Amino acid sequence: LFVGAGSAEVSAAGSRVLCVGCGDGSYEMGLALAGARGLTVSFYDSEAKAKQRYSNFVVNANVLRALGVPLLFEVDVTRLGPSLAAAAAVAGTAVPAEFSRIVFNFPQTGSGFPGSEAWHDAHAALLRGFFAGTVGDLCGEAAEVWVTLMDRAPYSELALDDWAAEHGLAKQRALPFGGGFYGLYRHRMTRFDRVVKADAASSCHVYARPAEAAGAGAAEKCGAGGSR
């Protein structure tokens, strides 16, 4: 059923899983078909742009909707709270007040030659902004942030642990990505409708607030818009 420890544990998170930057939605479709409940799926693109960009998007989106999964569009992970709330309002759907997992697979900006200074700067801004936004949407000691990257350069050169630490998140573990559920995941280029092979050596990096910090903030409630 599951391919890889990382895939299995995402599903095992139970309810309140938010996936961001979902591309064509193929990973999330596999996750939903594998029985994940309480799943919310968000895309950076508008729905019209996603249809134009990915030839398989419509099928994936239809399956997700048939399974009762809310789809949110134009969600910017660098301002996750307010962006998610705005997208939910447009969609006319409610999102959980808090999430137990926020999952970001293979972050890409689509700018700069891989490994160049411009590429590093763009990804630093993306991931720092993402970590800053997730902190406002995570409550409770079990809340985790998952980021999947290929293990090779230039991705391995991104200072992921340091950027997470800037916002009070500590590395808990790393799990093999494993390729998703049922072999349905398609790793796609950002600017072209082309499927490419993700490295077999790719890892889910799991972050959470340290236990003492999580315990101190457990009584606080976070809204989907990031306000307290």
Side-chain angles (χ1 to χ4, degrees):
L1 175 61
F2 301 115
V3 183
S7 296
E9 194 169 337
V10 171
S11 182
S15 60
R16 308 191 322 276
V17 177
L18 171 66
C19 295
V20 303
C22 293
D24 66 1
S26 58
Y27 174 85
E28 294 72 29
M29 179 178 66
L31 187 62
L33 287 169
R37 296 293 180 264
L39 183 63
T40 300
V41 174
S42 71
F43 303 83
Y44 176 73
D45 291 322
S46 66
E47 185 166 9
K49 185 66 175 177
K51 289 178 180 178
Q52 180 185 49
R53 191 187 294 276
Y54 305 114
S55 58
N56 62 335
F57 171 79
V58 172
V59 171
N60 297 344
N62 286 343
V63 171
L64 284 164
R65 284 177 166 138
L67 292 170
V69 177
L71 306 185
L72 305 178
F73 297 92
E74 298 184 270
V75 174
D76 181 352
V77 301
T78 65
R79 44 186 303 275
L80 186 57
S83 186
L84 191 70
V90 169
T93 189
V95 296
E98 57 187 61
F99 295 96
S100 51
R101 302 285 190 278
I102 295 183
V103 181
F104 196 178
N105 288 326
F106 301 105
Q108 292 286 345
T109 65
S111 62
F113 185 80
S116 67
E117 183 176 354
W119 183 91
H120 276 280
D121 289 346
H123 283 76
L126 174 68
L127 289 162
R128 276 178 155 149
F130 168 65
F131 284 125
T134 59
V135 171
D137 293 305
L138 293 176
C139 294
E141 297 179 7
E144 293 181 339
V145 179
W146 290 46
V147 181
T148 303
L149 293 173
M150 295 184 195
D151 294 342
R152 61 174 170 85
Y155 306 97
S156 59
E157 297 169 352
L158 296 172
L160 205 59
D161 293 358
D162 293 340
W163 299 335
E166 290 174 355
H167 300 286
L169 297 171
K171 181 80 160 281
Q172 304 299 304
R173 60 197 182 282
L175 301 165
F177 174 66
F181 295 82
Y182 300 128
L184 293 171
Y185 174 65
R186 296 293 178 265
H187 189 79
R188 289 182 172 270
M189 298 181 71
T190 304
R191 295 190 177 277
F192 303 95
D193 186 17
R194 178 184 172 189
V195 177
V196 295
K197 183 175 176 57
D199 287 9
S202 297
S203 298
C204 304
H205 302 269
V206 182
Y207 299 90
R209 289 176 291 188
E212 61 274 13
E220 297 184 61
K221 294 296 179 182
C222 303
S227 58
R228 296 182 181 275

